[in-house]
Amino acid sequence: MKERRIDLPMSIRIITDSTCDLSLSQLQELDIECIPLSVYFGEEQYLDKVELSPEAFYQKLSQSHDLPTTSQLNPEAFIARFQPELEQGHEIVGIFLSSRLSGTFQSAVIAKEQLQSDKIHLVDTMNVSFGNVLLLRHAAKLRDEGKSAEEICQALDSIKDRLAVYGVVATLKYLHKGGRLSASAAAVGTMLQLKPIVGIKDGAVVSVSKSRGYKSAFRHLVHLLEREPADPQYGFAFAHANAPEAVPDLISAISAHCSVEPYILCDVGPVIGTHTGPGCVGFAYVKAE
């Protein structure tokens, strides 16, 4: 784990939510605070990654007859995290999942209004999971370079629309049952038992294509990358939902066409895994201008 630079001012605190799917150790390395959402198996509540690891979640998911549910963060959760930081004289850069996927961002807005502080700066990423990983890593880099909170937010706003996020999922039934994808789009995943490819567009999950098996899907992802090349300064993020064996092949397919360094690898955690189900594997990058 890298050491934090002690000569930099630590007046800016970056706060995110657990749907970013960075592990606790990765968050610590980046010096980013995380507020966990909750996952419910029946009446049992678990804090995302705090009380339920990705490994334990997929084990429970495989044994559960009913789909788990998730809940958004409420304004009180944000106030409880924001207020101590403000009292210590810190400015806050809050980087949260798409407002089109959850009411969590709106809860952060309400918390800011209730605290009546101009030291809280909020970014609606219009993205989620490993897409947000790249924004968070860039925000941490800018903070460590001594950029102001306003400069960090402006930089993120300037690149978030260039994020390309694609995932191959085993089935779309979880996205459909979780209300994240329409019935017509979900039907694509059941036709001919194909592996659907999904992406994030305008802050929402969309169906991109369908393929037979991971290898065919990865070839299609390479075509998408060739059509919209990556900006090399931001690197890549790769992720999987209980499918680690598929990641090396994906990294190999992408790296045959461009450098993926510096890349970061993440586990799709309980909240996002509730909607994707097991078997999802994907990547994110920032498109070149």
Side-chain angles (χ1 to χ4, degrees), residues 129-145:
S129 192
F130 44 100
N132 284 353
V133 164
L134 295 180
L135 295 180
L136 288 164
R137 184 170 67 176
H138 190 55
K141 175 178 178 290
L142 294 176
R143 177 205 58 206
D144 292 351
E145 291 174 351

Side-chain angles (χ1 to χ4, degrees), residues 1-158:
M1 184 177 297
K2 70 178 183 181
E3 295 181 359
R4 304 297 307 158
R5 288 180 56 181
I6 60 175
D7 59 326
L8 291 173
M10 298 303 293
S11 61
I12 295 175
R13 303 301 297 159
I14 299 174
I15 301 178
T16 189
D17 63 83
S18 62
T19 67
C20 71
D21 283 335
L22 286 167
S23 68
L24 298 180
S25 62
Q26 287 170 327
L27 288 162
Q28 182 179 11
E29 183 176 356
L30 291 170
D31 193 22
I32 293 174
E33 299 291 331
C34 183
I35 308 177
L37 277 71
S38 293
V39 177
Y40 296 83
F41 280 91
E43 297 298 319
E44 297 180 351
Q45 177 184 2
Y46 301 90
L47 293 177
D48 186 13
K49 299 186 186 68
V50 177
E51 299 174 335
L52 189 65
S53 68
E55 296 80 8
F57 166 75
Y58 291 109
Q59 180 65 28
K60 288 182 69 68
L61 184 64
S62 68
Q63 299 170 347
S64 178
H65 294 294
D66 298 319
L67 288 178
T69 59
T70 62
S71 66
Q72 67 188 44
L73 291 170
N74 58 38
E76 290 72 24
F78 285 107
I79 291 173
R81 188 60 64 94
F82 288 169
Q83 197 158 28
E85 301 292 349
L86 296 175
E87 290 172 352
Q88 294 178 50
H90 296 152
E91 282 195 89
I92 295 167
V93 174
I95 304 170
F96 304 112
L97 80 159
S98 171
S99 59
R100 291 195 61 189
L101 295 175
S102 169
T104 290
F105 181 78
Q106 183 58 32
S107 291
V109 172
I110 294 171
K112 175 181 178 178
E113 293 172 348
Q114 292 185 3
L115 290 169
Q116 298 181 337
S117 174
D118 60 359
K119 301 299 183 182
I120 300 173
H121 312 267
L122 302 178
V123 177
D124 180 357
T125 64
M126 297 297 283
N127 224 293
V128 72
S129 192
F130 44 100
N132 284 353
V133 164
L134 295 180
L135 295 180
L136 288 164
R137 184 170 67 176
H138 190 55
K141 175 178 178 290
L142 294 176
R143 177 205 58 206
D144 292 351
E145 291 174 351
K147 302 298 185 183
S148 68
E150 291 86 354
E151 289 173 324
I152 293 172
C153 292
Q154 289 171 3
L156 297 187
D157 284 335
S158 71

Side-chain angles (χ1 to χ4, degrees), residues 172-183:
L172 286 177
K173 75 174 185 179
Y174 295 94
L175 286 167
H176 170 50
K177 289 188 175 183
R180 297 303 191 269
L181 203 64
S182 69

